[in-house]
């Protein structure tokens, strides 16, 4: 990527370095403290933090896992280019997160599952749906979440610091992997709480400086529409012409709900399409749900969701507005339109709106605070990556590895979980060249599209699985496959032809690519739902005795459930017990022969990783009640009313904000 | 409830129509000040919530009325068989209904 010619600023003064070093020390110490606080030797302890987290850490972790460096770069960049409608993604989440806490998590909790594919396996029986979900979730993680966050972190580091991209990203990934691997979910959630503070504090400081720079909110409203670059005539009229709409700020830049045909984010898409994506991301995705499952009780889950909702009000003000301010202050850089000039400024011809946030950090912040902003970006990047690492390792361990090796002991599962994190780190590092090769302006469009084309079937199946008892395995499976086919029909041609830009529109035929991706998400969701219901009603239903505590209407029932996968589980459990018996006999024989020869280093590593010598007795005890005691979803009335009324207040605030900016 | 949703959809349509206008000055004109649209949206929302709450209360009372008569029949049998169990099932069912109102 090209470097900024004149304003190369490097972090080389004491203030910045102290701030960054202090940040890393804090993160690592919180991680280490969390290590000693929880038992990471059991599956429940490692992957679900022992189900002991309080509401504030649940809320902060939800926010920090969600907000990655992709938000800083992407929200600010899209805000600079198109106005505030992109903040609708954030404010939509306010409602979805309440859906999560009130409707979905009670069902997941009483079902007693750790991963989402596990839930589908219990709900529908059979193995193909859970396998499909695990694979597609891992695929979506690697290609949407990890790549977006790493790309954005790379953009920031390159623009703001000029460091070598491989060195910085590898260092970041290794530090993240370190406290992810050792600490498990508990360490993650506690560090997330710390990182939420850092993110919000730093972002507030930058927002304050930006508004001071342009002269207040009213100045933003008036100056944005005149943020036009000075060079807007084509340098090569043979190849292209630049129409005025390509470089003039949008007239509806300050409204959330835009025209349904001419808008870049049409309002039906914003209201319904974002909701569908939100249902996938917040209510059925492992990363987010795992944090809710780790909470102490249902009331803590709900309170945590409310905290997360309030925090989600902030990105509009902390990221979108500064992005727009950046365009006002630097229209020739952030708002560049001539391809040759853009290539000089940020290295890609498509556009340079992605440098909106890093540019502000480099130019407006005094030293010391620049280090703080770098810490903020690192906090966002590391918290998201760590969460994704942990959740993908959970998915891989509990769903894919247990299928490959049903006889795995708990200890083996935990080790495999950790090794998988290393594998994902390596895959992420190998992804960097791809990220660099893709034109930066288009990567975000690709990411949005991939989510909109692949996630609506999953959202539809989960919604129907939780609320409609009649839906059975055949319906869900064929719905997922049909939805996937439909999504690929749109996604592959669009990848092939490219999304194009304002100056060089794409060659994709209108029939395929003409529909906005949010509208397509709505269509895909409805078609999948119809397909699921159709096939389900044509085949036999699942009896109630298999569905107690797996659907919303039966979430309070106390009857004994006959799991659809109980045979499989029984076989696995007895096989595991036999394997452990044999191992214990062998181990006893060996220790008798050799005495205590375990070296100090072995014990140290074991203690560091939470696998102690008396693991086997722990294993026995844990294996006996390895089916987690059904978490109680009853709530004390006092707290229930408090939490419910708080949710109402939050929804009223959200509705007011939507109404104000509509 | 219908009037409120009509009002909200009217508002959305208005906004849509306004943004589709061409040949306007750089700032597009809003028909109502922003804080007013916010207040209207909140009142519409609170109205909808109130109505939904009423509906749920009526629905729950209906089913609880129906089931309470079934429960009392079962309770009599219970009392005959085991005098110490009492009305535990009835209480448990009622709390379940209450928690279901969410």
């Amino acid at each position: 990527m090209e470097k900024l010619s004149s304003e190369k600023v490097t972090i080389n003064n004491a203030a910045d370095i102290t701030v960054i070093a202090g940040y890393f020390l804090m993160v690592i110490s919180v991680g280490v403290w969390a290590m000693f606080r929880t038992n990471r030797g059991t599956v429940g302890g490692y992957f679900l933090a022992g189900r002991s987290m309080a509401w504030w850490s649940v809320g902060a972790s939800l926010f920090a896992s969600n907000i990655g460096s992709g938000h800083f770069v992407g929200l600010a960049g899209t805000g600079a280019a198109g106005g505030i409608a992109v903040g609708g993604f954030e404010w939509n989440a306010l409602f979805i997160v309440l859906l999560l806490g009130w409707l979905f998590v009670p069902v997941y909790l009483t079902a007693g599952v750790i991963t989402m594919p596990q839930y589908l396996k219990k709900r529908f029986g059979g193995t193909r749906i859970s396998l499909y979900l695990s694979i597609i979730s891992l695929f979506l993680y690697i290609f949407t979440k990890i790549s977006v966050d790493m790309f954005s972190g790379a953009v920031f580091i390159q623009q703001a610091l000029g460091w070598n991209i491989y060195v910085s990203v590898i260092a970041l990934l290794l530090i993240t992997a370190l406290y992810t691997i050792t600490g498990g979910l508990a360490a993650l959630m506690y560090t997330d709480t710390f990182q939420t503070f850092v993110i919000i504090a730093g972002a507030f400081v930058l927002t304050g400086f930006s508004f001071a720079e342009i002269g207040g909110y009213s100045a933003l409203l008036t100056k944005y529409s005149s943020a036009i670059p000075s060079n807007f005539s084509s340098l090569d009229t043979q190849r292209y012409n630049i129409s005025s709409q390509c470089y003039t700020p949008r007239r509806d830049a300050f409204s959330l709900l835009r025209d349904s045909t001419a808008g870049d984010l049409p309002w039906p898409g914003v209201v319904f399409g974002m909701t569908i994506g939100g249902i996938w991301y917040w209510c059925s995705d492992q990363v987010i749900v795992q944090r809710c499952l780790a909470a102490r009780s249902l009331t803590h889950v709900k309170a945590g969701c409310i905290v997360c909702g309030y925090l989600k009000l902030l990105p509009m003000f902390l990221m979108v507005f500064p992005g727009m301010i950046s365009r006002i202050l630097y229209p020739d850089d952030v708002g560049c339109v001539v391809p040759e000039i853009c290539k000089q400024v940020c290295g890609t011809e498509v556009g340079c709106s992605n440098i909106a946030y890093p540019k502000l950090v480099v130019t407006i912040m005094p030293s010391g605070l620049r280090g703080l902003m770098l810490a903020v970006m690192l906090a966002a990047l590391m918290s998201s990556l760590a969460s994704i690492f942990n959740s993908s390792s959970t998915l891989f361990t509990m769903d894919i590895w247990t299928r490959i090796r049903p006889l795995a002991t708990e200890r083996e599962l935990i080790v495999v979980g950790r090794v998988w994190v290393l594998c994902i780190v390596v895959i992420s590092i190998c992804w960097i060249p791809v990220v660099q090769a893709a034109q930066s302006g288009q990567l975000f469009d690709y990411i949005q599209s991939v989510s909109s084309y692949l996630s609506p079937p999953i959202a539809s199946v989960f919604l129907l699985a939780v609320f409609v008892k009649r839906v059975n395995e055949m319906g869900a499976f064929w719905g997922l496959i049909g939805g996937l086919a439909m999504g690929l029909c749109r996604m592959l041609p669009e990848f092939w032809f490219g999304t194009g830009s304002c100056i060089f529109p794409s060659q994709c035929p209108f029939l395929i690519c003409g529909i906005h991706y949010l509208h397509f998400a709505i269509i895909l969701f409805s078609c999948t739902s119809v397909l699921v219901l159709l096939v389900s009603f044509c085949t036999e239903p699942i009896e109630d005795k298999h569905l107690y505590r797996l659907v919303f209407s039966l979430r309070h029932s106390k009857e004994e459930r006959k799991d659809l996968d109980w045979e499989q589980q029984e076989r696995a459990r007895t096989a595991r017990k036999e394997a452990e018996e044999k191992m214990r006999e062998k181990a006893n024989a060996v220790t008798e022969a050799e005495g205590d020869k375990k070296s100090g280093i072995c014990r140290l590593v074991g203690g560091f990783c939470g696998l102690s010598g008396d693991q086997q007795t722990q294993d026995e005890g844990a294996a006996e009640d390895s089916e987690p005691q059904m978490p109680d979803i009853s709530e004390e009335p006092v707290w229930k009313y408090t939490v419910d009324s708080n949710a109402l207040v939050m929804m009223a605030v959200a509705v007011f904000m939507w109404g104000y900016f509509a | 409830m219908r009037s409120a949703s009509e009002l909200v959809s009217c508002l959305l349509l208005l906004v849509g129509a306004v943004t589709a206008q061409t040949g306007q000055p750089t700032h597009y004109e809003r028909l109502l000040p922003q804080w007013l649209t916010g207040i209207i949206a909140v009142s519409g929302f609170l109205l909808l919530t109130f109505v939904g709450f009423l509906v749920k209360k009526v629905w729950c009372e209906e089913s609880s009325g129906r089931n309470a008569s079934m429960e009392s029949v079962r309770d009599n049998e219970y009392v005959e068989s085991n005098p110490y169990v009492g009305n535990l099932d009835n209480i448990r069912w009622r709390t379940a209904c209450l928690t279901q109102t969410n």
Side-chain angles (χ1 to χ4, degrees):
Chain A
M1 279 194 186
E2 295 289 323
K3 297 190 194 166
L4 287 173
S5 41
S6 48
E7 294 155 5
K8 206 72 236 151
V9 194
T10 50
I11 304 281
N12 55 5
N13 51 2
D16 284 337
I17 294 182
T18 326
V19 171
I20 297 173
Y23 163 73
F24 274 113
L25 265 159
M26 279 298 302
V27 168
I28 293 179
S29 47
V30 171
V32 166
W33 169 78
M35 251 167 59
F36 290 112
R37 204 171 180 273
T38 52
N39 168 26
R40 299 153 297 136
T42 60
V43 164
Y46 184 73
F47 290 119
L48 285 184
R51 288 196 210 263
S52 62
M53 305 303 286
W55 56 273
W56 45 268
S57 92
V58 170
S61 185
L62 285 174
F63 181 75
S65 308
N66 170 245
I67 297 286
S69 47
H71 283 77
F72 281 98
V73 171
L75 280 179
T78 317
I84 68 172
V86 71
F89 279 104
E90 303 300 299
W91 285 358
N92 198 25
L94 261 67
F95 299 101
I96 312 288
V97 97
L98 294 179
L99 274 185
L100 168 73
W102 266 255
L103 300 181
F104 283 87
V105 170
V107 176
Y108 297 147
L109 276 178
T110 49
V113 293
I114 300 182
T115 67
M116 293 296 95
Q118 214 175 30
Y119 168 75
L120 287 185
K121 191 155 37 152
K122 282 198 197 289
R123 168 70 174 81
F124 293 121
T127 52
R128 48 188 189 172
I129 295 182
S130 66
L131 184 67
Y132 170 86
L133 187 69
S134 319
I135 294 177
I136 215 174
S137 298
L138 286 175
F139 176 85
L140 280 170
Y141 288 162
I142 295 177
F143 293 107
T144 61
K145 300 184 186 178
I146 297 184
S147 63
V148 168
D149 283 337
M150 276 184 31
F151 163 71
S152 314
V155 164
F156 185 83
I157 290 172
Q158 280 219 327
Q159 291 289 319
L161 306 175
W163 288 357
N164 178 292
I165 184 173
Y166 281 94
V167 170
S168 33
V169 173
I170 291 176
L172 279 176
L173 288 175
L174 284 178
I175 296 181
T176 314
L178 186 72
Y179 71 79
T180 311
I181 292 179
T182 52
L185 187 67
L188 246 60
M189 291 180 74
Y190 284 122
T191 49
D192 277 351
T193 312
F194 169 67
Q195 286 174 334
T196 304
F197 281 121
V198 173
I199 290 173
I200 294 180
F204 256 116
V205 169
L206 181 76
T207 309
F209 273 100
S210 327
F211 272 110
E213 191 77 12
I214 58 159
Y217 180 67
S218 42
L220 170 66
L221 293 175
T222 44
K223 290 188 192 173
Y224 182 76
S225 36
S226 40
I228 298 176
S230 42
N231 299 313
F232 51 79
S233 40
S234 164
L235 292 182
D236 184 0
T237 40
Q238 299 290 346
R239 203 156 63 104
Y240 61 88
N241 268 319
I242 304 179
S243 70
S244 67
Q245 63 163 14
C246 289
Y247 57 83
T248 318
R250 295 185 62 91
R251 282 184 40 252
D252 54 6
F254 283 96
S255 96
L256 279 177
L257 301 172
R258 300 181 177 176
D259 188 66
S260 48
T261 41
D264 57 343
L265 284 170
W267 70 265
V270 167
V271 174
F272 299 111
M274 284 184 186
T275 307
I276 293 167
I279 292 179
W280 166 69
Y281 185 90
W282 294 93
C283 303
S284 70
D285 192 55
Q286 182 63 26
V287 176
I288 298 295
V289 174
Q290 198 170 343
R291 268 132 197 81
C292 289
L293 293 179
R296 226 168 267 176
S297 72
L298 187 62
T299 316
H300 282 270
V301 171
K302 294 182 175 179
C305 289
I306 294 177
V307 168
C308 179
Y310 277 120
L311 290 175
K312 286 293 263 180
L313 280 171
L314 299 175
M316 173 74 90
F317 305 106
L318 299 182
M319 294 166 214
V320 179
F321 284 159
M324 298 170 81
I325 292 174
S326 182
R327 184 172 179 174
I328 294 175
L329 293 174
Y330 313 107
D332 294 318
D333 294 320
V334 176
C336 76
V337 65
V338 183
E340 287 82 1
I341 297 183
C342 285
K343 197 157 177 72
Q344 264 185 328
V345 171
C346 63
T348 57
E349 290 189 345
V350 177
C352 288
S353 53
N354 282 333
I355 65 165
Y357 204 82
K359 194 145 176 70
L360 273 184
V361 170
V362 163
T363 48
I364 291 189
M365 302 289 268
S367 24
L369 291 182
R370 226 175 290 133
L372 173 69
M373 286 318 297
L374 178 65
V376 167
M377 288 296 286
L378 293 179
L381 178 66
M382 281 164 55
S383 63
S384 297
L385 280 184
S387 309
I388 298 166
F389 288 164
N390 180 280
S391 297
S392 70
S393 120
T394 313
L395 269 182
F396 180 77
T397 311
M398 304 305 293
D399 291 297
I400 299 184
W401 190 258
T402 45
R403 179 192 304 273
I404 301 175
R405 277 184 50 89
L407 306 178
T409 59
E410 215 164 297
R411 187 180 186 143
E412 178 180 335
L413 289 179
I414 296 173
V415 168
V416 165
R418 289 167 161 146
V419 169
W420 175 252
V421 174
L422 282 174
C423 292
I424 279 240
V425 168
V426 170
I427 295 176
S428 309
I429 293 176
C430 297
W431 193 241
I432 299 177
V434 181
V435 160
Q436 277 192 310
Q439 297 197 325
S440 60
Q442 294 187 344
L443 191 69
F444 259 89
D445 289 320
Y446 281 169
I447 300 313
Q448 303 272 25
S449 330
V450 171
S451 291
S452 293
Y453 304 146
L454 293 181
S455 62
I458 304 175
S460 147
V461 163
F462 266 94
L463 202 61
L464 292 172
V466 168
F467 288 102
V468 180
K469 275 199 293 186
R470 187 65 179 78
V471 172
N472 59 10
E473 200 267 346
M474 294 281 281
F477 179 71
W478 289 111
L480 283 172
I481 297 297
L484 177 68
M486 227 177 118
L488 287 178
C489 281
R490 168 72 190 255
M491 190 171 98
L492 295 176
E494 192 160 312
F495 273 35
W496 179 259
F497 288 104
T499 37
S501 67
C502 187
I503 307 177
F504 303 105
S506 158
Q507 300 296 319
C508 191
F510 179 80
L511 206 64
I512 301 179
C513 297
I515 308 174
H516 193 271
Y517 63 84
L518 287 174
H519 290 154
F520 185 79
I522 303 173
I523 297 173
L524 185 56
F525 180 84
S526 342
C527 289
T528 310
S529 312
V530 164
L531 187 60
V532 169
L533 289 170
L534 212 66
V535 177
S536 298
F537 276 105
C538 296
T539 44
E540 313 121 26
I542 304 180
E543 292 157 38
D544 261 12
K545 68 172 191 267
H546 300 299
L547 290 179
Y548 292 125
R549 294 180 303 283
L550 285 178
V551 289
F552 190 73
S553 46
L554 296 176
R555 70 193 186 285
H556 287 295
S557 59
K558 305 270 185 258
E559 282 90 342
E560 181 72 38
R561 178 177 75 223
K562 192 169 185 294
D563 275 336
L564 283 166
D565 58 345
W566 72 274
E567 272 178 26
Q568 209 183 20
Q569 286 192 334
E570 269 307 309
R571 247 182 288 139
R573 210 177 297 139
T574 41
R576 223 182 300 144
K577 268 209 193 97
E578 285 169 23
E580 279 173 20
E581 288 282 337
K582 268 186 236 139
M583 246 177 40
R584 216 176 303 128
E585 287 171 14
K586 220 183 352 161
N588 285 340
V590 164
T591 46
E592 278 169 16
E594 295 184 310
D596 194 8
K597 269 175 86 184
K598 227 184 189 193
S599 71
I601 295 189
C602 239
R603 242 177 298 149
L604 190 68
V605 172
F608 192 59
C609 293
L611 304 170
S612 50
D614 52 9
Q615 186 60 30
Q616 287 175 336
T617 43
Q618 243 177 6
D619 263 347
E620 277 180 51
E624 290 307 320
D625 56 299
S626 67
E627 292 314 301
Q629 311 91 320
M630 276 180 298
D632 192 17
I633 60 165
S634 62
E635 309 166 69
E636 278 177 60
V638 173
W639 289 117
K640 189 169 127 58
Y641 287 128
T642 319
V643 151
D644 286 351
S645 38
N646 251 309
L648 219 64
V649 168
M650 191 187 94
M651 277 201 278
V653 171
V655 167
F656 177 78
M657 296 308 255
W658 273 92
Y660 188 89
F661 283 101
Chain B
M1 184 166 140
R2 264 186 69 215
S3 59
S5 58
E6 273 175 7
L7 182 64
V8 173
S9 36
C10 268
L11 210 64
L12 291 176
L13 275 171
L14 269 174
V15 174
V18 163
T19 53
Q21 288 171 20
T22 50
Q24 292 286 328
T26 46
H27 243 128
Y28 79 85
E29 304 296 325
R30 286 183 191 269
L31 273 89
L32 298 166
Q34 287 187 295
W35 56 268
L36 194 58
T37 46
I39 302 267
I40 294 175
V42 173
S43 350
F45 165 74
L46 289 176
L47 202 68
L48 283 170
T49 321
F50 181 62
V51 168
F53 183 66
L54 285 177
V55 163
K56 201 174 273 182
K57 200 156 186 201
V58 167
W59 196 348
C60 214
E61 269 182 27
E62 259 183 36
S63 343
S64 105
R66 232 181 295 133
N67 271 24
S69 50
M70 273 171 41
E71 281 290 330
S72 51
V73 169
R74 244 204 290 155
D75 277 346
N76 288 335
E77 295 173 9
Y78 246 47
V79 164
E80 288 166 15
S81 62
N82 188 349
Y84 298 106
V85 169
N87 290 355
L88 217 55
D89 280 316
N90 201 2
I91 297 174
R92 215 183 285 143
W93 197 96
R94 280 201 200 274
T95 44
C97 182
L98 278 175
T99 46
Q100 241 175 7
T101 57
N102 257 136

